PDB file of all heavy atoms in Angstrom:
ATOM      1  N   PRO Y 377     -65.681 -42.412  63.312  1.00 95.00           N
ATOM      2  CA  PRO Y 377     -64.231 -42.220  63.473  1.00 95.00           C
ATOM      3  C   PRO Y 377     -63.398 -42.850  62.356  1.00 95.00           C
ATOM      4  O   PRO Y 377     -62.426 -42.235  61.885  1.00 95.00           O
ATOM      5  CB  PRO Y 377     -63.950 -42.865  64.831  1.00 95.00           C
ATOM      6  CG  PRO Y 377     -65.227 -42.680  65.598  1.00 95.00           C
ATOM      7  CD  PRO Y 377     -66.321 -42.823  64.592  1.00 95.00           C
ATOM      8  N   ASP Y 378     -63.754 -44.052  61.911  1.00 93.00           N
ATOM      9  CA  ASP Y 378     -62.942 -44.690  60.864  1.00 93.00           C
ATOM     10  C   ASP Y 378     -63.083 -43.941  59.542  1.00 93.00           C
ATOM     11  O   ASP Y 378     -62.167 -43.912  58.727  1.00 93.00           O
ATOM     12  CB  ASP Y 378     -63.324 -46.164  60.703  1.00 93.00           C
ATOM     13  CG  ASP Y 378     -64.755 -46.337  60.227  1.00 93.00           C
ATOM     14  OD1 ASP Y 378     -65.666 -45.663  60.786  1.00 93.00           O
ATOM     15  OD2 ASP Y 378     -64.977 -47.107  59.276  1.00 93.00           O
ATOM     16  N   GLU Y 379     -64.236 -43.323  59.312  1.00 92.00           N
ATOM     17  CA  GLU Y 379     -64.438 -42.568  58.075  1.00 92.00           C
ATOM     18  C   GLU Y 379     -63.576 -41.299  58.073  1.00 92.00           C
ATOM     19  O   GLU Y 379     -62.975 -40.940  57.066  1.00 92.00           O
ATOM     20  CB  GLU Y 379     -65.928 -42.216  57.924  1.00 92.00           C
ATOM     21  CG  GLU Y 379     -66.809 -43.446  57.733  1.00 92.00           C
ATOM     22  CD  GLU Y 379     -68.289 -43.203  57.961  1.00 92.00           C
ATOM     23  OE1 GLU Y 379     -68.715 -42.024  58.011  1.00 92.00           O
ATOM     24  OE2 GLU Y 379     -69.025 -44.200  58.109  1.00 92.00           O
ATOM     25  N   VAL Y 380     -63.549 -40.658  59.228  1.00 94.00           N
ATOM     26  CA  VAL Y 380     -62.748 -39.434  59.356  1.00 94.00           C
ATOM     27  C   VAL Y 380     -61.259 -39.774  59.197  1.00 94.00           C
ATOM     28  O   VAL Y 380     -60.519 -39.081  58.472  1.00 94.00           O
ATOM     29  CB  VAL Y 380     -63.010 -38.741  60.707  1.00 94.00           C
ATOM     30  CG1 VAL Y 380     -62.058 -37.568  60.901  1.00 94.00           C
ATOM     31  CG2 VAL Y 380     -64.463 -38.266  60.775  1.00 94.00           C
ATOM     32  N   GLU Y 381     -60.866 -40.856  59.856  1.00 93.00           N
ATOM     33  CA  GLU Y 381     -59.482 -41.315  59.728  1.00 93.00           C
ATOM     34  C   GLU Y 381     -59.141 -41.549  58.258  1.00 93.00           C
ATOM     35  O   GLU Y 381     -58.080 -41.141  57.761  1.00 93.00           O
ATOM     36  CB  GLU Y 381     -59.335 -42.627  60.519  1.00 93.00           C
ATOM     37  CG  GLU Y 381     -57.918 -43.035  60.828  1.00 93.00           C
ATOM     38  CD  GLU Y 381     -57.220 -42.002  61.702  1.00 93.00           C
ATOM     39  OE1 GLU Y 381     -57.829 -41.499  62.684  1.00 93.00           O
ATOM     40  OE2 GLU Y 381     -56.074 -41.683  61.374  1.00 93.00           O
ATOM     41  N   ALA Y 382     -60.079 -42.190  57.578  1.00 91.00           N
ATOM     42  CA  ALA Y 382     -59.837 -42.550  56.171  1.00 91.00           C
ATOM     43  C   ALA Y 382     -59.595 -41.308  55.317  1.00 91.00           C
ATOM     44  O   ALA Y 382     -58.711 -41.295  54.456  1.00 91.00           O
ATOM     45  CB  ALA Y 382     -61.026 -43.349  55.624  1.00 91.00           C
ATOM     46  N   ILE Y 383     -60.365 -40.243  55.555  1.00 92.00           N
ATOM     47  CA  ILE Y 383     -60.196 -39.071  54.679  1.00 92.00           C
ATOM     48  C   ILE Y 383     -58.906 -38.323  55.003  1.00 92.00           C
ATOM     49  O   ILE Y 383     -58.222 -37.843  54.103  1.00 92.00           O
ATOM     50  CB  ILE Y 383     -61.422 -38.132  54.698  1.00 92.00           C
ATOM     51  CG1 ILE Y 383     -61.293 -37.108  53.564  1.00 92.00           C
ATOM     52  CG2 ILE Y 383     -61.579 -37.391  56.014  1.00 92.00           C
ATOM     53  CD1 ILE Y 383     -61.218 -37.715  52.200  1.00 92.00           C
ATOM     54  N   LEU Y 384     -58.567 -38.242  56.284  1.00 94.00           N
ATOM     55  CA  LEU Y 384     -57.321 -37.533  56.616  1.00 94.00           C
ATOM     56  C   LEU Y 384     -56.124 -38.280  56.024  1.00 94.00           C
ATOM     57  O   LEU Y 384     -55.229 -37.669  55.431  1.00 94.00           O
ATOM     58  CB  LEU Y 384     -57.186 -37.358  58.129  1.00 94.00           C
ATOM     59  CG  LEU Y 384     -58.245 -36.439  58.772  1.00 94.00           C
ATOM     60  CD1 LEU Y 384     -58.073 -36.413  60.292  1.00 94.00           C
ATOM     61  CD2 LEU Y 384     -58.168 -35.010  58.216  1.00 94.00           C
ATOM     62  N   ASP Y 385     -56.133 -39.605  56.160  1.00 93.00           N
ATOM     63  CA  ASP Y 385     -55.054 -40.403  55.550  1.00 93.00           C
ATOM     64  C   ASP Y 385     -55.020 -40.212  54.039  1.00 93.00           C
ATOM     65  O   ASP Y 385     -53.965 -40.060  53.435  1.00 93.00           O
ATOM     66  CB  ASP Y 385     -55.260 -41.903  55.842  1.00 93.00           C
ATOM     67  CG  ASP Y 385     -54.969 -42.239  57.299  1.00 93.00           C
ATOM     68  OD1 ASP Y 385     -54.447 -41.358  58.018  1.00 93.00           O
ATOM     69  OD2 ASP Y 385     -55.274 -43.377  57.708  1.00 93.00           O
ATOM     70  N   HIS Y 386     -56.207 -40.247  53.450  1.00 91.00           N
ATOM     71  CA  HIS Y 386     -56.308 -40.143  51.991  1.00 91.00           C
ATOM     72  C   HIS Y 386     -55.751 -38.810  51.490  1.00 91.00           C
ATOM     73  O   HIS Y 386     -54.951 -38.760  50.560  1.00 91.00           O
ATOM     74  CB  HIS Y 386     -57.778 -40.287  51.599  1.00 91.00           C
ATOM     75  CG  HIS Y 386     -58.046 -40.183  50.135  1.00 91.00           C
ATOM     76  ND1 HIS Y 386     -57.545 -41.086  49.217  1.00 91.00           N
ATOM     77  CD2 HIS Y 386     -58.762 -39.285  49.412  1.00 91.00           C
ATOM     78  CE1 HIS Y 386     -57.950 -40.753  48.003  1.00 91.00           C
ATOM     79  NE2 HIS Y 386     -58.683 -39.655  48.094  1.00 91.00           N
ATOM     80  N   LEU Y 387     -56.160 -37.728  52.136  1.00 93.00           N
ATOM     81  CA  LEU Y 387     -55.718 -36.404  51.683  1.00 93.00           C
ATOM     82  C   LEU Y 387     -54.211 -36.256  51.867  1.00 93.00           C
ATOM     83  O   LEU Y 387     -53.511 -35.730  50.998  1.00 93.00           O
ATOM     84  CB  LEU Y 387     -56.459 -35.298  52.433  1.00 93.00           C
ATOM     85  CG  LEU Y 387     -57.968 -35.219  52.151  1.00 93.00           C
ATOM     86  CD1 LEU Y 387     -58.620 -34.168  53.047  1.00 93.00           C
ATOM     87  CD2 LEU Y 387     -58.252 -34.902  50.687  1.00 93.00           C
ATOM     88  N   ARG Y 388     -53.709 -36.740  53.013  1.00 92.00           N
ATOM     89  CA  ARG Y 388     -52.261 -36.658  53.230  1.00 92.00           C
ATOM     90  C   ARG Y 388     -51.539 -37.532  52.219  1.00 92.00           C
ATOM     91  O   ARG Y 388     -50.485 -37.154  51.707  1.00 92.00           O
ATOM     92  CB  ARG Y 388     -51.921 -37.059  54.665  1.00 92.00           C
ATOM     93  CG  ARG Y 388     -52.362 -35.979  55.655  1.00 92.00           C
ATOM     94  CD  ARG Y 388     -51.957 -36.315  57.090  1.00 92.00           C
ATOM     95  NE  ARG Y 388     -52.264 -35.192  57.969  1.00 92.00           N
ATOM     96  CZ  ARG Y 388     -52.988 -35.264  59.089  1.00 92.00           C
ATOM     97  NH1 ARG Y 388     -53.480 -36.445  59.489  1.00 92.00           N
ATOM     98  NH2 ARG Y 388     -53.218 -34.185  59.813  1.00 92.00           N
ATOM     99  N   GLY Y 389     -52.138 -38.689  51.918  1.00 90.00           N
ATOM    100  CA  GLY Y 389     -51.548 -39.570  50.905  1.00 90.00           C
ATOM    101  C   GLY Y 389     -51.490 -38.932  49.530  1.00 90.00           C
ATOM    102  O   GLY Y 389     -50.645 -39.269  48.698  1.00 90.00           O
ATOM    103  N   MET Y 390     -52.409 -37.987  49.278  1.00 88.00           N
ATOM    104  CA  MET Y 390     -52.410 -37.263  47.997  1.00 88.00           C
ATOM    105  C   MET Y 390     -51.388 -36.126  48.008  1.00 88.00           C
ATOM    106  O   MET Y 390     -51.269 -35.373  47.041  1.00 88.00           O
ATOM    107  CB  MET Y 390     -53.788 -36.651  47.726  1.00 88.00           C
ATOM    108  CG  MET Y 390     -54.947 -37.607  47.814  1.00 88.00           C
ATOM    109  SD  MET Y 390     -55.288 -38.440  46.258  1.00 88.00           S
ATOM    110  CE  MET Y 390     -55.861 -37.061  45.253  1.00 88.00           C
ATOM    111  N   GLY Y 391     -50.710 -35.949  49.109  1.00 90.00           N
ATOM    112  CA  GLY Y 391     -49.656 -34.933  49.160  1.00 90.00           C
ATOM    113  C   GLY Y 391     -50.120 -33.581  49.664  1.00 90.00           C
ATOM    114  O   GLY Y 391     -49.374 -32.602  49.606  1.00 90.00           O
ATOM    115  N   LEU Y 392     -51.366 -33.494  50.158  1.00 91.00           N
ATOM    116  CA  LEU Y 392     -51.837 -32.204  50.672  1.00 91.00           C
ATOM    117  C   LEU Y 392     -51.320 -31.969  52.080  1.00 91.00           C
ATOM    118  O   LEU Y 392     -51.168 -32.898  52.868  1.00 91.00           O
ATOM    119  CB  LEU Y 392     -53.369 -32.176  50.687  1.00 91.00           C
ATOM    120  CG  LEU Y 392     -54.038 -32.309  49.322  1.00 91.00           C
ATOM    121  CD1 LEU Y 392     -55.547 -32.409  49.473  1.00 91.00           C
ATOM    122  CD2 LEU Y 392     -53.686 -31.108  48.445  1.00 91.00           C
ATOM    123  N   GLN Y 393     -51.057 -30.704  52.394  1.00 91.00           N
ATOM    124  CA  GLN Y 393     -50.671 -30.351  53.757  1.00 91.00           C
ATOM    125  C   GLN Y 393     -51.920 -30.001  54.546  1.00 91.00           C
ATOM    126  O   GLN Y 393     -52.613 -29.018  54.224  1.00 91.00           O
ATOM    127  CB  GLN Y 393     -49.723 -29.158  53.740  1.00 91.00           C
ATOM    128  CG  GLN Y 393     -48.258 -29.551  53.648  1.00 91.00           C
ATOM    129  CD  GLN Y 393     -47.395 -28.339  53.876  1.00 91.00           C
ATOM    130  OE1 GLN Y 393     -47.166 -27.568  52.941  1.00 91.00           O
ATOM    131  NE2 GLN Y 393     -46.935 -28.146  55.102  1.00 91.00           N
ATOM    132  N   ILE Y 394     -52.213 -30.779  55.531  1.00 93.00           N
ATOM    133  CA  ILE Y 394     -53.453 -30.653  56.297  1.00 93.00           C
ATOM    134  C   ILE Y 394     -53.114 -30.248  57.729  1.00 93.00           C
ATOM    135  O   ILE Y 394     -52.271 -30.872  58.363  1.00 93.00           O
ATOM    136  CB  ILE Y 394     -54.154 -32.032  56.373  1.00 93.00           C
ATOM    137  CG1 ILE Y 394     -54.459 -32.573  54.977  1.00 93.00           C
ATOM    138  CG2 ILE Y 394     -55.396 -31.985  57.242  1.00 93.00           C
ATOM    139  CD1 ILE Y 394     -55.501 -31.801  54.253  1.00 93.00           C
ATOM    140  N   THR Y 395     -53.774 -29.205  58.208  1.00 94.00           N
ATOM    141  CA  THR Y 395     -53.652 -28.864  59.621  1.00 94.00           C
ATOM    142  C   THR Y 395     -55.002 -29.069  60.291  1.00 94.00           C
ATOM    143  O   THR Y 395     -55.998 -28.455  59.878  1.00 94.00           O
ATOM    144  CB  THR Y 395     -53.246 -27.381  59.789  1.00 94.00           C
ATOM    145  OG1 THR Y 395     -52.115 -27.134  58.973  1.00 94.00           O
ATOM    146  CG2 THR Y 395     -52.918 -27.076  61.238  1.00 94.00           C
ATOM    147  N   VAL Y 396     -55.043 -29.924  61.289  1.00 95.00           N
ATOM    148  CA  VAL Y 396     -56.292 -30.154  62.013  1.00 95.00           C
ATOM    149  C   VAL Y 396     -56.446 -29.047  63.052  1.00 95.00           C
ATOM    150  O   VAL Y 396     -55.566 -28.839  63.881  1.00 95.00           O
ATOM    151  CB  VAL Y 396     -56.291 -31.544  62.682  1.00 95.00           C
ATOM    152  CG1 VAL Y 396     -57.522 -31.713  63.585  1.00 95.00           C
ATOM    153  CG2 VAL Y 396     -56.253 -32.632  61.617  1.00 95.00           C
ATOM    154  N   GLU Y 397     -57.549 -28.328  62.991  1.00 94.00           N
ATOM    155  CA  GLU Y 397     -57.747 -27.207  63.910  1.00 94.00           C
ATOM    156  C   GLU Y 397     -58.694 -27.568  65.046  1.00 94.00           C
ATOM    157  O   GLU Y 397     -58.677 -26.921  66.086  1.00 94.00           O
ATOM    158  CB  GLU Y 397     -58.291 -25.994  63.143  1.00 94.00           C
ATOM    159  CG  GLU Y 397     -57.404 -25.600  61.975  1.00 94.00           C
ATOM    160  CD  GLU Y 397     -57.121 -24.119  61.937  1.00 94.00           C
ATOM    161  OE1 GLU Y 397     -58.045 -23.337  62.185  1.00 94.00           O
ATOM    162  OE2 GLU Y 397     -55.955 -23.757  61.652  1.00 94.00           O
ATOM    163  N   GLU Y 398     -59.553 -28.533  64.793  1.00 96.00           N
ATOM    164  CA  GLU Y 398     -60.442 -28.971  65.864  1.00 96.00           C
ATOM    165  C   GLU Y 398     -60.673 -30.456  65.667  1.00 96.00           C
ATOM    166  O   GLU Y 398     -60.743 -30.924  64.529  1.00 96.00           O
ATOM    167  CB  GLU Y 398     -61.774 -28.195  65.799  1.00 96.00           C
ATOM    168  CG  GLU Y 398     -62.563 -28.310  67.083  1.00 96.00           C
ATOM    169  CD  GLU Y 398     -63.875 -27.531  67.053  1.00 96.00           C
ATOM    170  OE1 GLU Y 398     -63.991 -26.566  66.273  1.00 96.00           O
ATOM    171  OE2 GLU Y 398     -64.781 -27.910  67.812  1.00 96.00           O
ATOM    172  N   ASP Y 399     -60.787 -31.201  66.748  1.00 96.00           N
ATOM    173  CA  ASP Y 399     -60.912 -32.651  66.647  1.00 96.00           C
ATOM    174  C   ASP Y 399     -61.584 -33.112  67.928  1.00 96.00           C
ATOM    175  O   ASP Y 399     -61.007 -33.039  69.006  1.00 96.00           O
ATOM    176  CB  ASP Y 399     -59.498 -33.269  66.510  1.00 96.00           C
ATOM    177  CG  ASP Y 399     -59.549 -34.758  66.200  1.00 96.00           C
ATOM    178  OD1 ASP Y 399     -60.657 -35.361  66.269  1.00 96.00           O
ATOM    179  OD2 ASP Y 399     -58.486 -35.313  65.883  1.00 96.00           O
ATOM    180  N   ARG Y 400     -62.868 -33.564  67.794  1.00 97.00           N
ATOM    181  CA  ARG Y 400     -63.585 -33.974  69.005  1.00 97.00           C
ATOM    182  C   ARG Y 400     -64.629 -35.026  68.667  1.00 97.00           C
ATOM    183  O   ARG Y 400     -65.029 -35.189  67.523  1.00 97.00           O
ATOM    184  CB  ARG Y 400     -64.244 -32.766  69.673  1.00 97.00           C
ATOM    185  CG  ARG Y 400     -65.218 -32.020  68.781  1.00 97.00           C
ATOM    186  CD  ARG Y 400     -65.886 -30.845  69.514  1.00 97.00           C
ATOM    187  NE  ARG Y 400     -66.482 -29.911  68.569  1.00 97.00           N
ATOM    188  CZ  ARG Y 400     -67.651 -30.080  67.966  1.00 97.00           C
ATOM    189  NH1 ARG Y 400     -68.354 -31.172  68.167  1.00 97.00           N
ATOM    190  NH2 ARG Y 400     -68.119 -29.180  67.119  1.00 97.00           N
ATOM    191  N   ARG Y 401     -65.060 -35.755  69.698  1.00 96.00           N
ATOM    192  CA  ARG Y 401     -66.165 -36.690  69.534  1.00 96.00           C
ATOM    193  C   ARG Y 401     -67.460 -35.905  69.490  1.00 96.00           C
ATOM    194  O   ARG Y 401     -67.610 -34.862  70.116  1.00 96.00           O
ATOM    195  CB  ARG Y 401     -66.220 -37.653  70.743  1.00 96.00           C
ATOM    196  CG  ARG Y 401     -65.125 -38.690  70.780  1.00 96.00           C
ATOM    197  CD  ARG Y 401     -65.170 -39.601  69.591  1.00 96.00           C
ATOM    198  NE  ARG Y 401     -66.357 -40.458  69.608  1.00 96.00           N
ATOM    199  CZ  ARG Y 401     -66.345 -41.753  69.371  1.00 96.00           C
ATOM    200  NH1 ARG Y 401     -65.210 -42.374  69.088  1.00 96.00           N
ATOM    201  NH2 ARG Y 401     -67.467 -42.446  69.407  1.00 96.00           N
ATOM    202  N   ASP Y 402     -68.411 -36.444  68.744  1.00 94.00           N
ATOM    203  CA  ASP Y 402     -69.727 -35.823  68.670  1.00 94.00           C
ATOM    204  C   ASP Y 402     -70.716 -36.984  68.605  1.00 94.00           C
ATOM    205  O   ASP Y 402     -71.112 -37.414  67.526  1.00 94.00           O
ATOM    206  CB  ASP Y 402     -69.783 -34.932  67.418  1.00 94.00           C
ATOM    207  CG  ASP Y 402     -71.106 -34.201  67.316  1.00 94.00           C
ATOM    208  OD1 ASP Y 402     -71.848 -34.161  68.315  1.00 94.00           O
ATOM    209  OD2 ASP Y 402     -71.397 -33.682  66.219  1.00 94.00           O
TER     210      ASP Y 402
END
Side-chain angles (χ1 to χ4, degrees):
Chain Y
D378 64 314
E379 295 164 14
V380 173
E381 197 62 44
I383 191 60
L384 294 176
D385 288 351
H386 179 63
L387 294 175
R388 288 183 174 127
M390 307 272 293
L392 298 174
Q393 270 190 277
I394 302 292
T395 309
V396 173
E397 305 228 319
E398 196 179 336
D399 188 350
R400 58 178 163 80
R401 287 298 292 226
D402 183 15

